[in-house]
Amino acid sequence: IFHAGMRADDTLIEGPARSCVDTTYEHRAGSRTVKGLTEDEIQTLIQDFAKAAKRAEDAGCDGVEIHGAHGYIFTQFLCPDLNTRSDKWGGPELEDRARLTRE
C-alpha cells in the first residue's frame, strides 16, 4: 500500500499533488506546484491506509506492506528539509515528522 504524495502521476489524480507542505516539485519532466495536506486530510489519509489494509485482510491476505521509501508520502513527512510544518506533523523534531508513520 502506498501514497506517492508529490510524486503522484498527474494523469492519475484530480487536482494538485499532495505532500506534507506547499512546495514546488522539481522532476525530470519539469516542475509543478504541490499542495500541503490539511489536518483533516492527514486523518483521512490514515483512515484510507487502514481501510486498504482491511480490504486486503478481507480478501484473504496475511499481511500488507506499507511502502514509504523512494520519496513517497512517508519519506516526504520524515524529511527535515521538506517537512517544515509547525504543527504536530512536522518541524525539527523527528517524533513529530514520524507521527504519520505511527498513527
Side-chain angles (χ1 to χ4, degrees):
I1 303 171
F2 71 91
H3 185 297
M6 72 172 119
R7 297 188 66 186
D9 184 328
D10 288 332
T11 64
L12 301 175
I13 61 173
E14 294 179 13
R18 307 306 292 241
S19 187
C20 52
V21 294
D22 292 343
T23 189
T24 300
Y25 176 48
E26 304 286 339
H27 53 95
R28 287 179 291 213
S31 66
R32 66 172 168 198
T33 301
V34 177
K35 180 86 172 103
L37 292 165
T38 66
E39 170 75 27
D40 287 343
E41 290 169 329
I42 292 171
Q43 293 300 328
T44 298
L45 178 65
I46 292 167
Q47 293 169 11
D48 288 346
F49 269 94
K51 289 175 187 176
K54 178 66 174 144
R55 286 191 301 273
E57 179 183 48
D58 291 347
C61 295
D62 294 325
V64 297
E65 177 181 353
I66 306 293
H67 179 57
H70 311 297
Y72 284 15
I73 197 74
F74 291 116
T75 306
Q76 293 165 31
F77 269 84
L78 287 168
C79 179
D81 294 329
L82 177 62
N83 188 351
T84 57
R85 295 177 72 104
S86 59
D87 60 8
K88 69 180 186 178
W89 303 102
E93 300 299 322
L94 176 60
E95 180 179 349
D96 293 333
R97 294 191 320 273
R99 187 176 312 278
L100 180 61
T101 66
R102 296 188 320 272
E103 299 212 5

